[in-house]
């Protein structure tokens, strides 16, 4: 049976539900199709469960160093109850997922379909034996973990970031292949729960997109907690032994083999655009399967948009949500067009201390030909960090020497995931750095040092000096 709607939304992740709600509120009929879990990656296998587990791991860390703050605990030490840790996570995830699902199911004019959606043509989608048609179709299908074709991978019982979240035991020794954002959050979390952890990274340093001193500070924070890090690991091969997994790695230093009890593959993500029938609709993707979109998230086919991770323009919940805001504003609001190119890239890495990031790194600013000035300060010179006993990290701001606009910043330290928003706001307002330099911030906070850092900018460097 064919059903016609004013709009069809494929995927109930971080953009689709809000768009469906906008159509609903406008009195339009809308169908939303979800093949698995409402809330998608963020709610079920991404942000929510990982940050919930990281909070448990942080408690374990705090308790272990209670003596540094003059708090004595019974000599017996602590025990981590992984089942209780997982149960707490499950409660929080389930509440979020069912809250979202109930909200979507309660929307006026909104039909909810459970099943895998597939384009039949540019105007029709099949799901669960039915064909839905619309002049406007919005793709919000997200992504999944990438599994590289390492020799031996098929013979190994490996975890992904999704499956590890369901594991209720504590690995004796977790080997993590991939030293980037997802891998490092899991590394520190499991180390704090009590596992031995080894991170294997093929690059010569962790987090190759970050400035070297920032990546180095994160590496030393992790190593200080006992995490083993193996860089320049070429030709990674995996082998299953009885009760263990061995990774053969050709590293510039260290043993050529790492043996652990369990292995997590954290080697990036790929878009869920295969099996979607994009070819039937004529929708173009790039070489990696990401759907090509223009500055307003329109695909090459009129009447079809792509939002969130599947368009390759962001890999975060806030970028998926911002995609929704752009599309919704351009469909439902006045004449001011919102565009992708207005978005300033920002994100956090939720290791501890966290890294808050916005805009260009120093390296990228120089590569783009900016003449720049740098302001920086170690966290050892931030009173709030000293008082909290958390002096790892640094803050660093990159300013364009000619325009005086802030180009980017990295704040690695306690509270950095919040403090970075001062910089995000000033960059969005497109006002010179002196606006922030002359702002009074609250004492004692990490943010109060940002005006000081901006008052102590270094000399101009870069191509146009
Ligand atoms: C371990 C981990 C930690 C993360 N932590 C953070 C963080 O702290 N902060 C942050 O900002 N981001 C984080 N992310 C990234 C964030 O989760 C994603 O960027 C975000 O969820 C993307 O939203 P989306 O709407 O594009 O896709 P998704 O949330 O993946 O939603 C896509 C939905 O589409 C459905 N779907 C797919 N194909 C079909 C089909 N053919 N038919 C019907 N339905 C379909 C899927 O089932 C899914 O529900 C993390 C990711 C991971 C893996």
């Amino acid at each position: 049976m064919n059903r016609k709607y004013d709009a069809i939304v494929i995927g109930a992740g971080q953009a689709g539900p809000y768009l469906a709600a906008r159509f609903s509120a406008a009195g339009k009929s809308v169908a939303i199709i979800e093949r698995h879990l409402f809330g998608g990656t963020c709610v079920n296998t991404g942000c929510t469960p990982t940050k919930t587990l990281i909070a448990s791991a942080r408690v374990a860390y705090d308790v272990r160093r209670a003596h540094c703050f003059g708090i004595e605990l019974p000599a017996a030490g602590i025990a981590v109850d992984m089942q209780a840790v997982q149960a707490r996570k499950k409660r929080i995830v389930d509440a979020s997922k069912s809250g979202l699902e109930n909200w979507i199911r309660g929307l006026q004019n909104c039909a909810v379909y459970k099943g895998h959606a597939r384009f039949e043509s540019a105007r029709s989608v099949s799901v669960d034996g039915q064909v839905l048609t619309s002049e406007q179709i919005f793709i919000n299908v997200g992504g999944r973990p990438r599994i590289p074709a390492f020799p031996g991978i098929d013979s190994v019982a490996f975890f992904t970031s999704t499956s590890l979240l369901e594991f209720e035991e504590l690995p004796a020794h977790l080997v993590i292949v991939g030293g980037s954002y997802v891998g490092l959050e899991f590394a520190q979390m499991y180390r704090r729960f009590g596992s031995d952890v080894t991170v294997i990274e093929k690059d010569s340093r962790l987090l190759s997109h970050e400035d070297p001193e920032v990546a180095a500070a994160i590496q030393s924070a992790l190593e200080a907690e006992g995490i083993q890090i193996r860089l320049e690991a070429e030709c990674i091969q995996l082998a299953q032994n009885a009760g263990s997994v061995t990774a053969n790695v050709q590293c510039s230093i260290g043993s050529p083999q790492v043996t652990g009890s369990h292995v997590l593959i954290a080697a990036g993500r790929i878009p869920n655009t295969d099996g979607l029938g994009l070819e039937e609709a004529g929708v173009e993707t790039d070489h990696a399967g990401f759907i090509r979109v223009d500055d307003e998230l329109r695909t090459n086919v009129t009447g079809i948009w792509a939002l969130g991770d599947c368009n390759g323009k962001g890999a975060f919940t806030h970028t998926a949500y911002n995609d929704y805001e752009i599309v919704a504003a351009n469909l439902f609001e006045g004449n001011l067009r919102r565009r992708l190119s207005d978005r300033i890239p920002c994100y956090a890495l939720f290791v501890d201390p966290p890294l808050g990031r916005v805009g260009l790194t120093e390296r990228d600013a120089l590569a783009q030909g900016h003449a720049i000035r740098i302001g920086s300060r170690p966290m050892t010179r931030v009173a709030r960090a000293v008082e909290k006993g958390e002096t790892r990290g640094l803050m660093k701001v990159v300013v364009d020497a000619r325009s005086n606009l802030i180009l980017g910043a990295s704040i690695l330290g306690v509270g950095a995931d919040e403090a970075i928003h001062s910089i995000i706001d000033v960059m969005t307002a497109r006002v010179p750095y002196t606006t922030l330099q002359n702002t009074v911030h609250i004492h004692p906070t990490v943010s109060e040092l940002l005006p000081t850092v901006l008052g102590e900018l270094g000399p101009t460097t870069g191509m146009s000096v």
Side-chain angles (χ1 to χ4, degrees):
M1 186 176 28
N2 274 23
R3 286 173 195 263
K4 191 163 170 33
Y5 292 93
D6 292 321
I8 296 173
V9 175
I10 304 175
Q14 295 306 306
Y18 310 102
L19 199 55
R22 285 297 283 269
F23 276 98
S24 155
K28 307 278 184 193
S29 64
V30 56
I32 183 163
I33 310 169
E34 172 52 55
R35 70 177 178 188
H36 191 34
L37 300 171
F38 287 84
T41 306
C42 180
V43 168
N44 298 286
T45 59
C47 332
T48 308
T50 53
K51 271 77 246 180
T52 306
L53 293 173
I54 284 170
S56 290
R58 169 74 199 214
V59 173
Y61 172 76
D62 282 339
V63 173
R64 282 193 195 100
R65 60 185 206 126
H67 62 277
C68 301
F69 296 83
I71 311 293
E72 291 305 326
L73 294 170
I78 69 159
V80 173
D81 178 346
M82 280 308 286
Q83 290 185 357
V85 166
Q86 292 286 14
R88 174 177 181 273
K89 177 212 76 183
K90 189 171 179 330
R91 275 196 307 278
I92 292 171
V93 168
D94 286 352
S96 186
K97 178 180 57 188
S98 53
L100 185 79
E101 180 166 356
N102 293 339
W103 173 66
I104 296 173
R105 289 190 184 281
L107 292 174
Q108 298 277 307
N109 318 311
C110 180
V112 178
Y113 291 85
K114 277 302 305 262
H116 179 90
R118 199 174 191 291
F119 280 93
E120 299 290 315
S121 72
R123 295 287 173 264
S124 61
V125 173
S126 64
V127 55
D128 198 21
Q130 303 180 70
V131 176
L132 318 183
T133 61
S134 180
E135 296 298 310
Q136 301 181 101
I137 302 179
F138 303 89
I139 308 171
N140 175 220
V141 291
R144 61 182 187 273
R146 186 175 77 87
I147 309 300
F150 296 130
I153 190 140
D154 292 338
S155 64
V156 168
F158 61 85
F159 285 113
T160 63
S161 62
T162 303
S163 56
L164 186 54
L165 289 168
E166 299 304 315
F167 191 54
E168 294 205 339
E169 295 165 31
L170 190 63
H173 183 171
L174 182 62
V175 176
I176 299 177
V177 180
S180 201
Y181 304 87
V182 169
L184 297 184
E185 289 186 12
F186 275 97
Q188 190 177 45
M189 176 205 306
Y190 272 93
R191 180 67 192 135
R192 289 180 169 189
F193 285 145
S195 299
D196 285 336
V197 174
T198 302
V199 175
I200 297 173
E201 167 56 46
K202 64 177 166 40
D203 223 319
S204 57
R205 62 186 180 89
L206 300 177
L207 301 166
S208 54
H209 296 298
E210 307 301 341
D211 274 333
E213 75 272 36
V214 173
I218 292 171
Q219 179 171 343
S220 52
L222 297 177
E223 286 175 333
E225 293 189 33
I227 295 168
Q228 304 288 322
I229 295 176
R230 301 291 308 274
L231 301 173
E232 295 182 339
E234 292 168 10
C235 311
I236 296 170
Q237 297 180 26
L238 300 169
Q240 184 81 46
N241 321 310
S244 68
V245 179
T246 298
N248 289 295
V249 285
Q250 298 286 321
C251 295
S252 53
I253 45 172
S255 157
Q257 288 195 330
V258 176
T259 297
S261 58
H262 299 80
V263 63
L264 164 66
I265 305 292
R269 292 176 63 80
I270 56 169
N272 287 327
T273 49
D274 47 344
L276 192 55
L278 290 178
E279 55 293 344
E280 309 298 331
V283 172
E284 286 175 5
T285 59
D286 68 11
H287 67 282
F290 292 103
I291 298 171
R292 291 187 200 280
V293 289
D294 68 9
D295 213 14
E296 297 185 20
L297 288 318
R298 296 176 292 219
T299 70
N300 63 304
V301 177
T302 305
I304 303 182
W305 288 253
L307 301 84
D309 285 11
C310 68
N311 64 28
K313 301 295 183 188
F316 302 99
T317 288
H318 48 275
T319 49
Y321 188 79
N322 183 235
D323 284 0
Y324 144 70
E325 292 178 313
I326 292 168
V327 170
N330 294 343
L331 286 174
F332 293 105
E333 291 164 21
N335 1 0
L336 191 67
R337 307 300 292 178
R338 287 189 68 173
R339 296 178 206 288
L340 201 52
S341 49
D342 293 332
R343 180 158 81 206
I344 299 171
C346 61
Y347 53 88
L349 166 62
F350 293 93
V351 289
D352 183 21
L355 171 67
R357 278 277 297 109
V358 57
L360 300 178
T361 60
E362 177 182 2
R363 190 186 53 176
D364 290 345
L366 290 173
Q368 289 183 18
H370 290 277
I372 59 170
R373 299 176 68 195
I374 299 287
S376 67
R377 191 177 193 89
M379 284 291 165
T380 48
R381 294 181 59 217
V382 175
R384 189 66 192 278
V386 173
E387 288 148 11
K388 286 188 157 184
E390 299 186 49
T391 52
R392 295 167 299 173
L394 65 140
M395 51 175 80
K396 175 174 175 181
V397 186
V398 184
V399 172
D400 185 285
R402 273 179 291 176
S403 67
N404 284 337
L405 294 174
I406 297 177
L407 296 172
S410 305
I411 307 180
L412 174 70
V414 58
D417 48 335
E418 300 291 347
I420 194 72
H421 288 90
S422 286
I423 308 264
I424 296 173
D425 295 345
V426 168
M427 288 178 68
T428 302
R430 292 192 62 78
V431 291
Y433 77 88
T434 45
T435 305
L436 179 52
Q437 184 192 345
N438 296 331
T439 303
V440 176
H441 281 185
I442 293 166
H443 174 77
T445 59
V446 172
S447 304
E448 78 173 317
L449 269 304
L450 289 170
T452 311
V453 166
L454 290 167
E456 297 170 351
L457 293 177
T460 302
T461 55
M463 275 172 58
S464 350
V465 178

